[in-house]
Amino acid sequence: QVQLVESGGGLVQAGGSLRLSCAASGGTFSSYAMGWFRQAPGKEREFVTGINWSGGTYVADSVKGRFTISRDNAKNTVYLQMNSLKPEDTAVYYCAARSTEWLATKGYDYDYWGQGTQVTVSS
């Protein structure tokens, strides 16, 4: 009975920044590995970045140097700070949780998903 709720999406100009938040409830947040995925129209769901229980991270090549994932276990929240946004970053962004402490980069390895939040980057 884990629920994930994303917030913070919106419209931003290229080069701008957004911070997404994912609030978790109904589970032991500090024991979960968390991930962010995105899906653009006509494309497959894509792994963006993930963070394990101890703060270790993995970032996809497409967003390295621009996106940063972090978590605040006291607030049961994971964040995605997105800087230097590009039109190619336009997608629905999903927060996901694994019921383990280890990172994964495939969607089928995640057990719980948020509803998604739209990020649109204009040129």
Side-chain angles (χ1 to χ4, degrees), residues 42-80:
K43 295 185 178 180
E44 296 294 320
R45 187 183 300 165
E46 175 189 20
F47 173 80
V48 178
T49 184
I51 187 166
N52 69 14
W53 63 273
S54 64
T57 63
Y58 183 80
V59 186
D61 289 342
S62 59
V63 302
K64 280 183 179 178
R66 301 189 298 119
F67 290 12
T68 303
I69 189 171
S70 62
R71 67 192 297 163
D72 186 338
N73 289 341
K75 297 181 179 179
N76 289 349
T77 301
V78 64
Y79 303 97
L80 180 63

Side-chain angles (χ1 to χ4, degrees), residues 13-111:
Q13 292 183 332
S17 299
L18 286 173
R19 188 179 74 160
L20 306 184
S21 298
C22 174
S25 62
T28 305
F29 177 79
S30 61
S31 297
Y32 299 158
M34 304 292 295
W36 287 97
F37 291 76
R38 65 187 183 185
Q39 188 165 22
K43 295 185 178 180
E44 296 294 320
R45 187 183 300 165
E46 175 189 20
F47 173 80
V48 178
T49 184
I51 187 166
N52 69 14
W53 63 273
S54 64
T57 63
Y58 183 80
V59 186
D61 289 342
S62 59
V63 302
K64 280 183 179 178
R66 301 189 298 119
F67 290 12
T68 303
I69 189 171
S70 62
R71 67 192 297 163
D72 186 338
N73 289 341
K75 297 181 179 179
N76 289 349
T77 301
V78 64
Y79 303 97
L80 180 63
Q81 179 66 47
M82 304 185 293
N83 299 324
S84 301
L85 283 162
K86 304 175 181 179
E88 304 93 274
D89 297 318
T90 295
V92 177
Y93 283 72
Y94 297 92
C95 177
R98 301 188 71 201
S99 57
T100 76
E101 300 172 341
W102 313 118
L103 285 169
T105 60
K106 302 296 184 182
Y108 56 72
D109 285 322
Y110 287 79
D111 302 302

